[in-house]
Amino acid sequence: MKRMLVVAISILVSGLLLGGVLGWAAGDTLVIGIHQDVTTLDPGNHRDRETETVIRNMYDGLVTRTTDMVVVPQLAESWEVVSPTEWVFHLREGVKWHDGELFTAEDVKFTIDRLVKEGMINGLTSPRKSLLDPVNGAEVIDTYTVKLTLDAPMGHLLAFLPFQEMVAKHYVEEVGDDYLAEHPMGTGPFKFVLRDKGAQIVMERFDDYYGGSPDILPVGPAQVKTVIFKVIPETSSRIAALLAGEVDIIEKVPTDLMGQIEASSNATITTCNGTRSYFVELNCSNGVFTDKKVRQAMNYAIDMQEIVATFYSGLGAVIPTILSPNAIGYADLDPYGYDPNKAKEMLAEAGYPNGFSVVIDTEDFSKNVAQAYAQMLREVGINASVQVWEWSILKPELLAGKRQILLADWGNGSMDPQGIFVPKLGTGARGNYTGYSNKTLDLLFSLSQITSDLTEREECFIQGQEIIYEDCPMVWGYVTKEVYGVSKRVQNWTPSPDSRINLQDVSVSD
Amino acid sequence: MTFSYIVRRILQTLPVLIGITFIVFLIMHLTPGDPVEIMMGRGSVVTTEQIEQIRHELGLDRPLYIQYFSFLGGVLHGDFGRSILQRAPVMHLIADRLPATFELTIFSIIISLIIAIPVGVISSVKRYSLLDHIGTVSALAGVSMPSFWLGLLLIIVFSVKLKILPVTGRANYGYGLAPITNFLLIDAVITGNWGALGDAIRHLLLPAITLGSYMAALTMRVTRSSMLEVLSRDYIRTALAKGLSHKVVILKHAMRNALVPTVTVVTLNIGILLGGNMIVESVFGWPGLGRLVINAVYTRDYPLVQGVVLIYALTYVVMNFIADLLYAALNPKVRF
């Protein structure tokens, strides 16, 4: 016993003494604190935002996006739409994989086929297949030209390509899918070093990098030598790690804890609009909300500014319809605004001078916001109450048109209306819980899918927003901001509205 | 201790393990939520047909009893299936996390025993002394402090203010430690990488203290009360009357007998510590099994949950077995 004690204590002491200098973030190292681990390192085998955020620093796509959400060339230099179902991409020449081999059209074909054809990854279909629907494959035209073939027109193809990262055919064929998932090898600015599952992913600068998109400056190899993504699930610990100087950038800072970072001498808060829109869905297919006037009155009855101020410390933007101000084709309309008297008048005109009774459906995490809505509705004479549901039970009720008001939100990382506008408001669309149907709108959606011309597509969506702004199938809400804590030693990093953290151009100063 | 006893014990554990897999399987499938919908994300670009196709590929559209027996059949062949979300073999995912969990648990037990047993023994010998009172108050604090709170407090003091210990993780990058067993302390010692050893210990200290505080408090109290009981026995008085020194009597005669209840508490708590350290793992970003299984439950990753729970159950059963063996070693009167 005594000997054990002595041994244990001496190990402890020697360990501490021999440890030497602590490994705090050093001059050529950038450390990012993320809130959950990646699910895999295979870019074709996940549907997870965090995974994309990490992987995108080791892999490039045919195209990428600026922090203003403009799609720009990356591994592809240019492209042309030969027909609505055939897109030809001209690839950058001389791009090297991390193992030194050259990137060619064969790799693009391999990657695209791996994503869209069935049973391509360990006998299973890629969970990313639906992101590229209706792309059915790719054909090699020559070493640096590749054609994507589609079953139907896909006007929004470019908006969904930035996060389809290219994998190397020769590498995957040699090492297999399971090995790729643990040892990624791409053409990106950083190459993989190691992953301690659940703890950290380490990358080092790829010195032979071709420089990335010519539209995102500076073009060239990454600024820092080493990048470490540290997994810190607990919010308070993530903030402590930033304040202790152990990490340089942290994500998902709750608004009520921002003060701790603002008060510190070595870090600041940076925000940008998030990808998620919040709104209140009204049942347009039966009940009181079939009357457009009642739906418009609802838009005047709820004070969205107050909701953003109270529940998000003001870190959000009230939006006129469903699209984020950062989305393409955003129509700059004036939000309805809070006007309870007008709401009462309109309700009286619609035949409800004494209001009506209604239940607001919500899930547990947003019940407080739902209570606030109910209170505001009661003030204009609508007898509103709140019911909290489990989503898997609520969803079939919604699709059957049995509910009246739903507190809801929808994330759209693509920043293209195709990812939110069409699925939420198209007739019979998969996320359409309001039962809203408008033939003109459907026609505009079809047009937007047929054309690949961005201006034409934007025009379709702007007209579409004017229609729904008037029709009010929902009470239009807000987008919230993503809050990051950033060490003052970090230079040239701007958060992106699609919530990715790209580190090629970021540097650190000591 | 006979060979037949060991065989009997091992056979007894089989129905326990099968029962646990069945209950966990049932609970997971009765809980609302669909793993494929969760994997694809709410409001993501996917149609119902595409979700159905993925469910079909994963075999989730088969009747429950077929899914269960297929899982059980796999386990008998050493195949725990693939994680739905991470899409990697469950065995690999568990193997990656197991060393971290064991390392933290064992280290925290060592720390707590180093503190608890001497304090417990001294408290009993010098009953109602100042040290006994301090021990009592610390034990009360150790049992009552939530590990979440204690962990954050230690982080604020030792990492944010004093900057002497790291907030999160298991090791810093840059020590070039070659993985052999994936137990960092062992690997560092084997390869003589003292920098990595110090680094690993510094990362272990705060989570181990947080995790071990409850155990230390419990062990301290159990040791104290069982020592008090033993010290009042006739054979202790006899030993003292023989003229043996106090030290010999306490360390050789009393402690050996008093440690039997302590062994029970410690071994059974190892099982609890292994399964119950997800909070500590979250606070300190420790890459252990607890976080793996919690995420698996949230995402309804059935194969992963079943795999981890089976490992937990197995550990618990083994720990019980070891406790029985230790009784016999400590007390020759115990025979199986």
Side-chain angles (χ1 to χ4, degrees):
Chain A
M1 187 68 206
K2 196 170 173 183
R3 201 179 304 152
M4 260 179 62
L5 268 174
V6 172
V7 170
I9 291 169
S10 52
I11 287 179
L12 260 172
V13 174
S14 64
L16 285 170
L17 291 178
L18 290 165
V21 186
L22 288 174
W24 305 130
D28 52 359
T29 302
L30 185 64
V31 188
I32 316 295
I34 52 177
H35 80 289
Q36 64 179 45
D37 196 12
V38 302
T39 60
T40 173
L41 290 171
D42 177 349
N45 209 4
H46 70 90
R47 279 296 286 265
D48 179 52
R49 187 76 60 79
E50 205 75 8
T51 304
E52 249 171 41
T53 295
V54 173
I55 284 181
R56 198 62 171 83
N57 287 289
M58 296 182 281
Y59 283 99
D60 280 349
L62 289 177
V63 294
T64 188
R65 270 192 303 214
T66 64
T67 48
D68 298 326
M69 297 296 97
V70 179
V71 175
V72 293
Q74 197 172 30
L75 287 171
E77 267 180 337
S78 62
W79 50 87
E80 63 221 45
V81 188
V82 180
S83 79
T85 56
E86 290 169 304
W87 290 59
V88 171
F89 289 85
H90 302 284
L91 307 178
R92 200 171 296 283
E93 294 184 22
V95 173
K96 280 185 184 165
W97 292 102
H98 294 161
D99 66 358
E101 297 283 318
L102 284 176
F103 162 78
T104 68
E106 287 290 346
D107 298 313
V108 180
K109 174 179 164 52
F110 180 79
T111 303
I112 297 292
D113 286 352
R114 194 167 180 264
L115 294 176
V116 301
K117 294 193 190 300
E118 285 180 15
M120 295 295 281
I121 304 175
N122 280 322
L124 299 175
T125 307
S126 166
R128 303 184 77 73
K129 177 176 160 57
S130 55
L131 289 171
L132 283 180
D133 217 25
V135 175
N136 61 27
E139 292 169 16
V140 173
I141 295 177
D142 61 43
T143 314
Y144 293 106
T145 316
V146 66
K147 180 164 79 180
L148 266 57
T149 54
L150 288 72
D151 286 328
M154 183 184 181
H156 57 278
L157 175 63
L158 279 185
F160 282 74
L161 274 183
F163 295 97
Q164 315 308 334
E165 296 92 358
M166 293 296 129
V167 295
K169 178 171 187 263
H170 68 275
Y171 182 72
V172 182
E173 283 182 347
E174 189 197 324
V175 301
D177 296 313
D178 278 338
Y179 190 85
L180 175 73
E182 306 209 333
H183 303 85
M185 206 280 290
T187 60
F190 295 97
K191 57 184 180 187
F192 176 73
V193 176
L194 64 87
R195 174 183 177 201
D196 294 335
K197 280 189 192 155
Q200 61 183 353
I201 298 132
V202 181
M203 309 169 192
E204 272 181 4
R205 178 170 59 214
F206 177 44
D207 290 322
D208 278 344
Y209 189 51
Y210 65 96
S213 172
D215 297 275
I216 300 174
L217 299 175
V219 175
Q223 303 286 311
V224 291
K225 184 168 177 289
T226 309
V227 160
I228 301 173
F229 282 91
K230 272 199 178 177
V231 185
I232 314 176
E234 171 51 43
T235 308
S236 306
S237 309
R238 222 161 42 244
I239 294 175
L242 177 73
L243 298 182
E246 204 173 306
V247 301
D248 299 306
I249 299 175
I250 58 168
E251 56 171 13
K252 303 215 179 292
V253 177
T255 50
D256 53 337
L257 296 179
M258 279 166 28
Q260 286 183 28
I261 296 172
E262 281 165 338
S264 83
S265 57
N266 61 347
T268 53
I269 290 286
T270 306
T271 66
C272 76
N273 282 337
T275 56
R276 195 161 286 274
S277 298
Y278 294 79
F279 38 79
V280 185
E281 306 199 30
L282 307 172
N283 186 340
C284 304
S285 60
N286 60 57
V288 289
F289 299 119
T290 48
D291 186 341
K292 184 164 92 182
K293 204 148 223 157
V294 179
R295 300 199 300 261
Q296 287 173 336
M298 292 286 286
N299 269 280
Y300 286 114
I302 293 177
D303 188 352
M304 289 294 175
Q305 290 290 4
E306 182 60 34
I307 297 288
V308 170
T310 309
F311 292 98
Y312 301 94
S313 305
L315 287 174
V318 175
I319 46 178
T321 65
I322 196 171
L323 287 187
S324 155
N326 299 89
I328 70 154
Y330 172 74
D332 199 5
L333 304 161
D334 283 333
Y336 271 73
Y338 181 52
D339 192 342
N341 291 329
K342 191 159 183 179
K344 276 186 211 161
E345 276 170 34
M346 292 179 85
L347 284 174
E349 283 170 30
Y352 300 102
N354 301 316
F356 47 82
S357 289
V358 77
V359 176
I360 302 176
D361 296 321
T362 180
E363 286 171 87
D364 190 60
F365 56 83
S366 48
K367 63 172 186 279
N368 293 338
V369 180
Q371 291 289 0
Y373 287 150
Q375 177 61 32
M376 289 172 183
L377 291 180
R378 283 197 288 272
E379 279 165 20
V380 298
I382 298 171
N383 180 22
S385 57
V386 172
Q387 185 170 353
V388 177
W389 294 76
E390 165 69 41
W391 180 249
S392 55
I393 298 163
L394 177 59
K395 192 178 167 187
E397 296 263 316
L398 292 169
L399 290 173
K402 289 181 182 167
R403 308 303 308 170
Q404 288 296 309
I405 303 186
L406 168 72
L407 202 70
D409 56 74
W410 190 276
N412 178 28
S414 74
M415 283 292 151
D416 189 283
Q418 182 70 29
I420 179 167
F421 200 177
V422 182
K424 285 306 291 177
L425 291 155
T427 301
R430 63 198 162 81
N432 185 336
Y433 306 136
T434 56
Y436 178 70
S437 171
N438 183 308
K439 288 204 169 62
T440 318
L441 187 67
D442 291 339
L443 190 66
L444 286 166
F445 285 162
S446 302
L447 281 175
S448 79
Q449 273 154 19
I450 292 167
T451 178
S452 53
D453 182 278
L454 188 58
T455 323
E456 285 175 28
R457 293 188 68 233
E458 285 184 324
E459 188 49 41
C460 291
F461 292 123
I462 289 172
Q463 282 186 38
Q465 284 164 83
E466 283 159 2
I467 292 172
I468 57 167
Y469 179 76
E470 169 70 18
D471 270 358
C472 291
M474 300 176 177
V475 179
W476 310 117
Y478 49 89
V479 289
T480 52
K481 287 193 187 292
E482 291 285 330
V483 183
Y484 297 88
V486 186
S487 160
K488 286 182 180 159
R489 63 196 282 276
V490 173
Q491 313 284 322
N492 198 29
W493 181 69
T494 317
S496 176
D498 61 9
S499 81
R500 273 86 183 191
I501 301 175
N502 293 333
L503 298 170
Q504 183 198 342
D505 301 329
V506 183
S507 58
V508 286
S509 65
D510 276 313
Chain B
M1 184 90 43
T2 58
F3 180 69
S4 75
Y5 169 74
I6 296 176
V7 172
R8 209 168 61 234
R9 275 297 298 260
I10 291 171
L11 288 179
Q12 276 170 0
T13 61
L14 280 180
V16 174
L17 293 178
I18 293 176
I20 288 170
T21 60
F22 180 70
I23 292 168
V24 171
F25 182 86
L26 214 59
I27 292 175
M28 281 304 290
H29 280 84
L30 287 176
T31 318
D34 174 70
V36 177
E37 287 208 22
I38 292 170
M39 170 174 77
M40 302 307 273
R42 174 99 55 91
S44 71
V45 183
V46 65
T47 62
T48 316
E49 293 75 46
Q50 285 161 337
I51 285 190
E52 281 311 312
Q53 200 223 330
I54 294 173
R55 289 174 55 82
H56 177 72
E57 279 188 354
L58 294 170
L60 294 171
D61 56 348
R62 295 175 299 170
L64 274 191
Y65 71 93
I66 292 186
Q67 289 187 46
Y68 178 67
F69 284 114
S70 142
F71 161 73
L72 219 51
V75 170
L76 290 179
H77 292 94
D79 175 13
F80 284 52
R82 264 175 194 272
S83 153
I84 296 174
L85 185 74
Q86 305 195 42
R87 314 205 114 201
V90 166
M91 274 317 265
H92 290 190
L93 296 175
I94 293 177
D96 285 333
R97 302 293 191 106
L98 211 55
T101 291
F102 276 120
E103 200 164 60
L104 176 58
T105 307
I106 293 167
F107 201 77
S108 74
I109 288 166
I110 291 174
I111 289 188
S112 58
L113 293 187
I114 286 175
I115 299 167
I117 292 183
V119 175
V121 170
I122 298 170
S123 294
S124 65
V125 176
K126 302 200 185 291
R127 208 173 165 187
Y128 303 132
S129 66
L130 180 65
L131 190 100
D132 186 24
H133 288 305
I134 293 174
T136 306
V137 173
S138 342
L140 191 68
V143 178
S144 4
M145 274 188 297
S147 53
F148 177 81
W149 182 82
L150 177 63
L152 285 177
L153 198 73
L154 291 173
I155 287 178
I156 290 169
V157 174
F158 290 98
S159 309
V160 179
K161 298 288 177 208
L162 299 175
K163 294 196 196 293
I164 52 172
L165 291 172
V167 179
T168 70
R170 204 175 155 212
N172 275 329
Y173 169 64
Y175 286 102
L177 182 62
I180 300 167
T181 61
N182 276 321
F183 286 83
L184 299 186
L185 296 185
I186 296 176
D187 289 354
V189 171
I190 293 175
T191 55
N193 190 336
W194 307 117
L197 179 68
D199 179 57
I201 291 177
R202 274 198 309 275
H203 278 88
L204 265 167
L205 275 177
L206 294 186
I209 291 170
T210 311
L211 185 63
S213 64
Y214 176 83
M215 174 94 140
L218 200 65
T219 314
M220 199 193 292
R221 296 308 286 173
V222 170
T223 308
R224 180 183 180 273
S225 59
S226 83
M227 272 298 281
L228 281 175
E229 196 200 318
V230 170
L231 286 175
S232 65
R233 290 284 176 80
D234 288 344
Y235 65 84
I236 298 293
R237 200 180 313 132
T238 312
L240 287 170
K242 278 197 301 188
L244 289 173
S245 76
H246 261 82
K247 197 174 144 192
V248 172
V249 172
I250 288 164
L251 292 183
K252 281 218 158 146
H253 297 87
M255 236 175 84
R256 194 180 166 119
N257 286 300
L259 281 184
V260 174
T262 309
V263 166
T264 316
V265 168
V266 171
T267 41
L268 291 184
N269 269 289
I270 290 175
I272 294 172
L273 285 188
L274 281 173
N277 55 14
M278 45 273 268
I279 293 175
V280 175
E281 287 181 4
S282 272
V283 169
F284 291 98
W286 193 262
L289 272 186
R291 266 170 58 204
L292 186 72
V293 73
I294 278 288
N295 279 330
V297 170
Y298 283 150
T299 55
R300 306 288 185 274
D301 200 332
Y302 304 136
L304 191 50
V305 174
Q306 282 152 13
V308 179
V309 169
L310 201 58
I311 295 293
Y312 278 151
L314 200 61
T315 324
Y316 208 83
V317 167
V318 169
M319 280 304 151
N320 261 324
F321 188 46
I322 291 177
D324 287 350
L325 298 187
L326 282 175
Y327 291 155
L330 283 166
N331 184 351
K333 276 200 276 182
V334 179
R335 280 290 171 265
F336 299 106

